[in-house]
Amino acid sequence: MATTHATARFARTAIDRGLDWAKADELPRPATNPDVLTMLTRAMEIALVRHEEVVGGPVDRAGAIAGHLHVASGADNAAAYGLPVCRRAVGCHKPGLPMEFMVSGCAGLFYALRHAGFLLQHTDARHDPDAYVLITAANDMLPLAHGRAKAPDERREELDDWLFPTIFGEAVGALVVGHATDRAGWAVVDMAWQTAADDWRVTFDHADTPRMVIRARGVGSTFRENVPDAARRGLRALGLTEFDELHRLCVHESNPNLVAAAAQELDVPAGLVHSVSAEVGTLAGVSAFSLLEEAFASHHPDGKDGVVAALIGETGHAVVVGHLALRHHA
């Protein structure tokens, strides 16, 4: 997680020149964000190394990869060509294997995991015990960095206009999904999701210059109405009745106030809900990765081996909410 050099440099140039966001987009910027690609390469390597630790040794990264799914809120040609370079760098290039873009927010992880399951169970990968699917995610603020310039005078009172570049941060994530084994590791016990609203609460507006517009009050109300129930369904899926039986409850990082409100409504004991959005901002599709990373890294064998993630996000011009229930097998 970081504010990348390209994004910071572009935003700083616009501010120093006194430009508002309608004019700041005229400043030249790189075709893609090299820092994001560097970060993704590093995240992919870490995920692959951890996967090899779980299966007990090195795997044929290039031969065993069955798919590569990438979750992001937007896609461009430069990123599409940059990601295969990242894959080559970590040794899992397989000629002819496409990279599949999933334009989605946080809830895109549900669809990525379902598709990973299909690839492992219904293609030639089902015959290869080492087969795996690589899932990556990125939230790159460079395309919208001009929104960090000053608001035009006539738009300064419009919270929804300037909120996006204010609260969203940059981050990448990667995870590896393989066949179930008898070795210690995390396994998906249950996941389910549903459409919470048939419209987008975050939209891409070209009225004067490209920018994200957040319907802030709509985001908050949809979160409060749906996320606590998703957390309860995840808890039941693990056969548990109290949240203090979990190791972690991962609540989608919309903003720290909404996360705290959900924890309070659910009466979750202090320390079970991890939140970083107050420090790094909202990370869009990467928020699920950062929450699970903390949950996995902080786990120790104390009998509390369950993790529930309650996720909500923009997916397919709608808002999707659901739960992901995981258990650690010793």
Side-chain angles (χ1 to χ4, degrees):
M1 294 175 282
T3 298
T4 59
H5 293 90
T7 297
R9 188 179 304 114
F10 185 90
R12 173 51 59 190
T13 300
I15 292 170
D16 289 346
R17 294 188 184 182
L19 300 175
D20 63 41
W21 70 48
K23 298 177 181 178
D25 194 43
E26 299 172 3
L27 295 173
R29 76 181 88 194
T32 192
N33 195 330
D35 289 341
V36 167
L37 296 177
T38 299
M39 292 160 60
L40 264 173
T41 302
R42 177 62 177 155
M44 291 160 64
E45 176 65 24
I46 292 171
L48 286 161
V49 167
R50 291 180 180 173
H51 172 65
E52 290 171 334
E53 290 172 351
V54 169
V55 300
V59 300
D60 178 5
R61 293 185 180 184
I65 186 170
H68 179 190
L69 314 173
H70 184 69
V71 181
S73 57
D76 58 57
N77 287 337
Y81 282 98
L83 277 165
V85 175
C86 300
R87 212 167 72 197
R88 281 181 182 270
V90 297
C92 54
H93 169 64
K94 176 183 284 187
L97 181 72
M99 178 189 59
E100 302 177 56
F101 263 93
M102 305 183 71
V103 180
S104 175
C106 192
L109 183 59
F110 296 130
Y111 297 93
L113 287 171
R114 181 178 65 179
H115 189 40
F118 173 85
L119 292 171
L120 291 169
Q121 297 165 17
H122 299 287
T123 69
D124 289 343
R126 67 185 184 275
H127 303 300
D128 180 3
D130 290 333
Y132 69 92
V133 174
L134 177 65
I135 302 176
T136 55
N139 191 49
D140 182 3
M141 292 297 292
L142 179 60
L144 299 161
H146 60 278
R148 292 183 174 177
K150 69 177 183 178
D153 292 339
E154 67 274 13
R155 308 305 290 267
R156 291 185 183 181
E157 300 302 319
E158 298 293 333
L159 173 70
D160 293 356
D161 280 342
W162 54 258
L163 187 62
F164 180 87
T166 302
I167 68 172
F168 273 71
E170 292 187 281
V172 302
L175 62 86
V176 173
V177 182
H179 290 293
T181 70
D182 295 331
R183 299 178 178 89
W186 292 93
V188 177
V189 174
D190 187 68
M191 63 178 180
W193 59 91
Q194 62 190 30
T195 300
D198 191 15
D199 65 325
W200 277 47
R201 304 305 159 94
V202 180
T203 56
F204 197 58
D205 181 16
H206 285 269
D208 42 28
T209 192
R211 69 182 190 280
M212 286 285 189
V213 178
I214 295 181
R215 290 165 49 197
R217 292 174 180 81
V219 169
S221 61
T222 306
F223 185 103
R224 289 188 291 270
E225 291 166 6
N226 293 278
V227 169
D229 285 341
R232 295 184 183 102
R233 288 191 290 269
L235 185 71
R236 291 195 295 269
L238 289 173
L240 305 177
T241 57
E242 302 292 338
F243 282 101
D244 63 5
E245 298 176 272
L246 288 176
H247 166 59
R248 282 288 187 274
L249 171 62
C250 301
V251 179
H252 169 75
E253 286 276 71
S254 182
N255 71 51
N257 293 330
L258 288 175
V259 172
Q264 183 177 12
E265 177 179 338
L266 295 168
D267 194 25
V268 180
L272 258 66
V273 176
H274 177 65
S275 179
V276 296
S277 54
E279 290 78 34
V280 302
T282 300
L283 304 178
V286 185
S287 70
F289 290 73
S290 66
L291 291 169
L292 292 172
E293 162 72 9
E294 191 281 334
F296 297 162
S298 63
H299 182 259
H300 48 87
D302 61 357
K304 294 183 178 181
D305 293 333
V307 168
V308 169
L311 308 177
I312 189 169
E314 311 276 346
T315 299
H317 287 275
V319 181
V320 171
V321 63
H323 72 267
L324 179 65
L326 305 104
R327 180 171 284 125
H328 187 269
H329 297 286

